[in-house]
Amino acid sequence: MKIYNTLSRKQEEFVPIDGKNVKMYTCGPTVYHYAHIGNLRTYIMEDVLEKTLNYLGYHVDRVMNITDVGHLTSDSDSGEDKMLKGAKREHKSVLEIASMYTKAFMDDCSKLNIKWPDTVSSATDNIDMYIQIIQKLLHDGYAYQAGGNIYFDTSKLEDYYQLTNHKIDEMVVGVREGVEEDSNKRNQADFVLWFTKSKFQDQELKWDSPWGVGYPGWHIECSGIAMKYLGEHIDIHCGGVDNIFPHHTNEIAQSEAYLGHKWCNYWVHGEHLNDKSGKMSKSKGEFLTVSLLEEKGYNPLAYRYMCLNSYYHNTLTFSYEILDGSSREYQKLKNKTLSLGMDGDIDNSKFQYYDDKFREAIGSDLNTSMAITILYEVLKDDTLNEHTKRELVSKFDSVLSLDLLKEKNTDIDEELQNYIEDMIEKRNQYKKNKEFDKADEIREELKNKGIMIKDTREGTLYEIVR
Ligand code: AMP
Ligand code: ZN
């Protein structure tokens, strides 16, 4: 498999440390609010990566954190703790909102067919691990105590900027906007490992530590959880592009200083989903969630289909027009795959041919849109019998996860299906021409035959009830 590695800034052949076993870590959500569909684009990419590795014969051990403490609104060391902000907004405790939004996130993942990682651990459940790491960093001279907080000393590293290749002054904008300098820091890029003193004295969750009662910084939690559950070496670490700096840059700094060796070989980042006004956010414009899409009549898997048709390395701009198009295409595709029968014996050589093509596509830096094109090729290939097509669709869907063979409408034969589709087409034409009486006649005629139709954003769906 070829994968783009942010660390080397090029596509590389993927070679795991331990043969066929892959250790993968993905940054999880900060559970202070619902995830927006932009966040979920990143989780879809990570899901596709895990399933692609499985498709290619690897076993994946995957760990994800749930951030329920320490993530400040600036992504850096200033602003309010996002969890505390969420709790105040909803007049609940931090743990209450953590549990509520973790559950909401699980529901979103399930609706989008995103597999829940094998190990999911909350930041607040691993405090001992962070303390252990920070103690060693202090002992080895990589960290210092100032003004009550513990900071990582970035000047102690030869190549703090290895992941970004940019110096901090080039990245100041956006990351640290409106941030006043912390005079306790020895270097501008230093970051907090453990807070005991901060402007927000009302911090709800605090723990004892050798440096006083306090709480961990955001970055240390991912290093701690990854090392605790995956050991000293990992193959892949993922997140959205906004995580490259400062979050992943700081994770590398503290992990490698602690371990004394290279920590992670491949860094994989998903580009953002934007809205028309730019970066998607939870506070401005329409807050796009999976539930909102459902309320508007969309199937969440139509959104997954929309994401899979784009390359994860490119930004994708959300619009309802694009989603409408994806919904229609998705429903048409599904109508086709659901109608596939089991006729004939599987043609092994053709099966192999298409299976190889599909592997090649997804193994080329997760080229999911090419993988979907191959799926269409299979469906169009007149030399393939239905059984072979069906098996291929089933196998491809282990990565695409579009439920292509689920919820079979009915066991209708091809002739009936063609008839219904023709009638729906005719009716749509009448509706377009505003000949509503004729359109209603068709609905009536179908109904008399036990065929119920329903107009949705994904086009006209039908169900046979007789
Ligand atoms: P958060 O819950 O803010 O920690 O973000 C969860 C994940 O979503 C992280 O991996 C982010 O990098 C990613 N992310 C944030 N905004 C977007 C966006 N607009 N599009 C895609 N991914 C995003
Ligand atoms: Zn992280």
Side-chain angles (χ1 to χ4, degrees):
M1 181 177 77
K2 289 223 165 42
I3 193 85
Y4 184 85
N5 189 351
T6 309
L7 195 58
S8 62
R9 281 165 275 281
K10 55 176 194 278
Q11 256 189 42
E12 287 179 38
E13 191 61 40
F14 176 65
V15 185
I17 299 160
D18 177 19
K20 285 282 176 191
N21 294 314
V22 177
K23 292 186 177 188
M24 176 171 170
Y25 183 84
T26 50
C27 288
T30 307
V31 283
Y32 70 112
H33 217 321
Y34 294 107
H36 59 53
I37 58 171
N39 301 130
L40 288 157
R41 182 187 187 204
T42 294
Y43 297 108
I44 290 173
M45 177 278 281
E46 295 162 349
D47 180 61
V48 168
L49 175 54
E50 179 178 359
K51 288 171 178 168
T52 295
L53 288 162
N54 290 149
Y55 200 97
L56 300 177
Y58 296 102
H59 170 265
V60 182
D61 208 354
R62 177 162 166 212
V63 175
M64 183 177 81
N65 67 306
I66 298 280
T67 299
D68 52 2
V69 71
H71 190 177
L72 308 189
T73 43
S74 77
D75 268 12
S76 193
D77 296 331
S78 67
E80 208 173 349
D81 184 311
K82 288 188 180 191
M83 292 303 296
L84 197 62
K85 200 174 162 189
K88 279 187 196 158
R89 184 186 65 231
E90 304 197 11
H91 307 289
K92 292 200 169 87
S93 73
V94 164
L95 289 179
E96 274 169 348
I97 64 156
S99 136
M100 179 176 134
Y101 289 118
T102 303
K103 169 82 182 50
F105 178 67
M106 284 173 99
D107 288 347
D108 288 344
C109 287
S110 149
K111 286 173 188 165
L112 290 165
N113 281 346
I114 295 169
K115 176 184 168 277
W116 196 242
D118 308 305
T119 305
V120 177
S121 189
S122 293
T124 49
D125 286 339
N126 300 282
I127 302 293
D128 291 354
M129 186 67 192
Y130 320 140
I131 291 179
Q132 179 188 316
I133 298 171
I134 297 168
Q135 273 180 314
K136 183 161 190 290
L137 291 175
L138 277 165
H139 177 267
D140 295 350
Y142 286 107
Y144 58 93
Q145 189 162 8
N149 297 331
I150 310 294
Y151 295 86
F152 186 89
D153 187 347
T154 53
S155 71
K156 291 279 162 25
L157 299 181
E158 258 171 44
D159 197 6
Y160 168 66
Y161 294 101
Q162 55 178 303
L163 194 64
T164 63
N165 211 19
H166 288 90
K167 296 277 176 272
I168 194 163
D169 352 340
E170 298 167 41
M171 295 183 293
V172 167
V173 186
V175 179
R176 300 162 65 84
E177 60 196 63
V179 172
E180 70 281 16
E181 275 316 310
D182 179 345
S183 58
N184 293 316
K185 290 186 182 182
R186 290 183 189 162
N187 314 286
Q188 196 191 357
D190 292 355
F191 55 93
V192 176
L193 296 165
W194 187 267
F195 290 95
T196 58
K197 292 255 166 43
S198 78
K199 340 191 242 320
F200 25 102
Q201 293 306 325
D202 52 349
Q203 183 74 12
E204 223 177 282
L205 301 175
K206 292 181 192 173
W207 294 264
D208 263 337
S209 81
W211 321 287
V213 175
Y215 56 98
W218 173 40
H219 317 298
I220 193 72
E221 82 180 56
C222 283
S223 292
I225 292 174
M227 284 186 219
K228 183 164 163 183
Y229 296 100
L230 293 170
E232 289 195 3
H233 295 271
I234 55 177
D235 295 295
I236 305 177
H237 195 311
C238 300
V241 283
D242 57 304
N243 285 158
I244 297 173
F245 186 85
H247 187 46
H248 290 167
T249 298
N250 292 349
E251 277 192 53
I252 295 177
Q254 65 206 1
S255 301
E256 298 194 349
Y258 172 75
L259 293 167
H261 58 70
K262 187 171 179 178
W263 177 46
C264 171
N265 289 338
Y266 301 87
W267 288 83
V268 180
H269 293 102
E271 258 299 348
H272 276 181
L273 177 79
N274 293 332
D275 54 28
K276 279 179 186 149
S277 64
K279 191 171 184 283
M280 192 160 286
S281 99
K282 299 181 188 186
S283 49
K284 72 172 167 63
E286 191 178 37
F287 184 3
L288 286 160
T289 59
V290 170
S291 309
L292 181 77
L293 296 188
E294 282 183 307
E295 276 164 31
K296 288 178 184 271
Y298 294 103
N299 179 341
L301 291 182
Y303 174 64
R304 183 173 173 112
Y305 182 79
M306 176 182 146
C307 291
L308 295 185
N309 271 301
S310 73
Y311 182 33
Y312 78 94
H313 260 301
N314 294 338
T315 48
L316 177 63
T317 303
F318 178 82
S319 74
Y320 283 108
E321 293 77 58
I322 299 178
L323 185 59
D324 283 337
S326 297
S327 293
R328 280 192 297 271
E329 256 181 54
Y330 172 59
Q331 193 53 47
K332 263 197 198 158
L333 170 64
K334 204 166 156 172
N335 284 345
K336 276 201 195 104
T337 52
L338 283 177
S339 72
L340 290 172
M342 299 283 272
D343 298 343
D345 292 331
I346 293 177
D347 182 333
N348 288 323
S349 72
K350 286 189 176 146
F351 184 94
Q352 197 58 53
Y353 169 76
Y354 280 112
D355 188 40
D356 287 347
K357 278 186 95 169
F358 187 83
R359 277 166 193 274
E360 165 102 33
I362 49 165
S364 302
D365 200 23
L366 311 182
N367 192 341
T368 44
S369 66
M370 177 56 79
I372 289 176
T373 304
I374 292 159
L375 169 68
Y376 279 109
E377 274 179 35
V378 165
L379 294 172
K380 277 193 209 127
D381 185 342
D382 292 337
T383 70
L384 282 179
N385 63 33
E386 297 229 335
H387 196 177
T388 311
K389 286 186 184 183
R390 200 184 163 84
E391 286 304 306
L392 281 164
V393 169
S394 163
K395 192 154 186 213
F396 296 175
D397 209 29
S398 67
V399 175
L400 303 175
S401 299
L402 292 167
D403 283 354
L404 294 173
L405 295 170
K406 215 167 150 188
E407 293 163 9
K408 199 165 171 31
N409 262 348
T410 110
D411 290 318
I412 54 173
D413 63 31
E414 208 176 314
E415 205 178 326
L416 179 58
Q417 192 187 341
N418 288 341
Y419 161 74
I420 300 171
E421 274 166 8
D422 283 351
M423 294 298 270
I424 290 176
E425 185 68 44
K426 247 193 209 163
R427 178 171 167 269
N428 286 342
Q429 207 51 51
Y430 283 137
K431 277 173 53 181
K432 231 185 195 166
N433 301 339
K434 303 206 179 336
E435 297 177 80
F436 296 112
D437 287 348
K438 286 186 179 159
D440 286 345
E441 273 171 31
I442 291 189
R443 179 195 280 278
E444 229 17 60
E445 186 179 329
L446 289 171
K447 193 173 157 194
N448 291 339
K449 294 189 163 116
I451 303 155
M452 309 303 287
I453 56 175
K454 191 176 159 203
D455 295 314
T456 71
R457 280 184 176 272
E458 292 162 355
T460 307
L461 306 181
Y462 61 88
E463 191 184 5
I464 301 189
V465 292
R466 68 192 153 138

